[in-house]
Amino acid sequence: MRIKRLLFFCICVSILLTLFILFPPLKTRSSSSSSYSSPPLRQYPARFAYLISLSKGDVNQAKRLVYAIYHPGNHYLLHLDAEASDGEHEDLTQFIAVESVFREVGNVWIVKKSNIVTYRGPTMLANTLHAMAMLLKACDWDWFVNLSAADYPIITQDDLIYAFAALPKDLNFVHHTSHLGWKRNKRAKPIVIDPGLYSDNKSDVMWLPMQRSLPTSFKLFTGSAWTVLSRSFAEYCVWGWENLPRTLLLYFTNFISTPEGYFQTVICNSKLFKNTTVNHDLRYITWDNPPKQHPLPLGLKDYRRMIISSSPFARKFKEGDLVLDRIDKEILKRNPNNAFTYGGWCGGRIGRVCRGGNLRNSYGMLKPGPGGRRLRALLRKITLPSSLRKQQCR
């Protein structure tokens, strides 16, 4: 009887989570209600919507990340875990509120009603889908990027926009594989319950004393939890005009490390989107062998390999690591003292601290550098038709 009650509870939680995702509350705390009163004369050829997920103790690291990836042509949504203290929430709110550039452009928001997020449970996926829904309703963008406070860019945003400008806007960068290996028994078969779905007290997932067989109505895929997703695919996952995203949401509600499987399985089982996948997460990450739950921290010894990888982002960094200072100085052309990354929107002059500039006159201008050329070469290589066909949803 105890096992039957647990199964019934799992089903109920799954249905409630689905309703939460499909009908999310769209309340945000904005940096400002103001924005440009008239459309700029020049538009950027590619636009990005960022979700930056923060845990307790991440606020200072997140401030540095926001300055490093900020660009007036993009949009930014920050979520600070409900476990964080009231002081941390207030600190983050003040940071967004007092920055004059954020107030002028109005493209940086904070999720007002934060959620408990468990990394290995479905609450992380729920938070990501909720953020997608908010950004879809709030603004126009071409690609969705999820980051944590431990991430950092290794190219400028002008480089990123320049490189993506040459791509079809339906491409999705999702690292994936159907070769489950050790994940068959460690990820796919166990059944877990995430207390973050029903409790205000954060704790690890609960393991049920049973296992399930692999699904037969769809093929299971796993991969990196870090993605770059097209707007069209984000709409498909959030609005769910077909039953597949909802069905898989129910399945992954009780799946260990849900973010490593949901988007991979949805896109590779969708006839509409499976041919839009690029098998790359656009991150430089180093792992133990065999890989553990979290990647190895990056340091100065990894700097050259990061650059050679041509990836736009890298993880995982410790707060204040010296390699971040080197990235700021040599790649982003910024100093750590609350300055933005070098770019055409703030004057684009190397050696001058970027604090904003005349946004009306410089909006739409790009000043890409070597990072943009490296990334464009990487994108050209991994999106060749012959390369795509060999790696898509295998």
Side-chain angles (χ1 to χ4, degrees), residues 65-300:
L65 174 62
V66 172
Y67 277 121
I69 65 171
Y70 182 79
H71 194 282
N74 297 333
H75 303 275
Y76 303 85
L77 180 63
L78 284 71
H79 176 270
L80 178 57
D81 197 311
E83 181 192 31
S85 66
D86 292 341
E88 287 181 287
H89 283 276
E90 183 61 28
D91 186 13
L92 186 63
T93 301
Q94 284 296 110
F95 162 67
I96 302 301
V98 302
E99 174 55 61
S100 60
V101 174
F102 299 162
R103 291 200 308 271
E104 182 177 353
V105 183
N107 62 340
V108 182
W109 302 283
I110 302 174
V111 177
K112 182 177 181 180
K113 184 174 176 55
S114 57
N115 306 300
I116 290 286
V117 177
T118 308
Y119 180 79
R120 296 199 299 172
T123 43
M124 186 174 180
L125 172 64
N127 194 60
T128 301
L129 290 171
H130 186 197
M132 281 183 174
M134 298 167 78
L135 289 164
L136 285 170
K137 184 172 183 179
C139 51
D140 293 327
W141 45 270
D142 302 310
W143 280 282
F144 172 87
V145 184
N146 61 326
L147 298 176
S148 75
D151 294 274
Y152 211 67
I154 47 179
I155 63 172
T156 70
Q157 290 299 288
D158 276 12
D159 288 337
L160 184 68
I161 294 171
Y162 163 80
F164 270 76
L167 294 180
K169 288 185 169 55
D170 63 342
L171 291 180
N172 294 275
F173 296 84
V174 183
H175 174 259
H176 61 276
T177 180
S178 63
H179 302 294
L180 302 182
W182 62 272
K183 290 186 178 182
R184 179 187 300 270
N185 294 323
K186 298 296 184 179
R187 295 281 194 269
K189 290 186 177 181
I191 303 176
V192 301
I193 298 175
D194 187 349
L197 293 171
Y198 61 85
S199 174
D200 288 334
N201 299 317
K202 192 166 186 175
S203 59
D204 199 3
V205 295
M206 299 166 52
W207 297 73
L208 297 187
M210 64 188 73
Q211 290 194 335
R212 56 184 172 183
S213 59
L214 295 181
T216 57
S217 61
F218 54 86
K219 191 172 184 179
L220 198 60
F221 289 79
T222 66
S224 172
W226 310 101
T227 59
V228 177
L229 304 177
S230 68
R231 184 182 181 96
S232 57
F233 181 63
E235 291 173 339
Y236 177 74
C237 292
V238 172
W239 308 141
W241 58 81
E242 289 183 345
N243 205 40
L244 179 64
R246 291 189 294 270
T247 298
L248 293 182
L249 186 60
L250 292 172
Y251 175 81
F252 277 97
T253 299
N254 306 115
F255 191 92
I256 190 69
S257 295
T258 301
E260 297 178 5
Y262 177 74
F263 291 119
Q264 290 83 353
T265 303
V266 170
I267 200 166
C268 285
N269 284 274
S270 169
K271 294 181 180 179
L272 184 61
F273 289 100
K274 66 180 181 181
N275 292 330
T276 67
T277 57
V278 182
N279 199 354
H280 201 295
D281 62 4
L282 299 181
R283 269 74 168 182
Y284 177 82
I285 307 175
T286 60
W287 296 92
D288 282 310
N289 188 17
K292 297 181 180 179
Q293 183 71 44
H294 297 287
L296 294 170
L298 299 175
L300 285 171

Side-chain angles (χ1 to χ4, degrees), residues 303-311 374:
Y303 181 80
R304 178 173 171 77
R305 289 191 292 271
M306 280 190 279
I307 304 307
I308 294 175
S309 75
S310 300
S311 298
R374 288 194 299 267

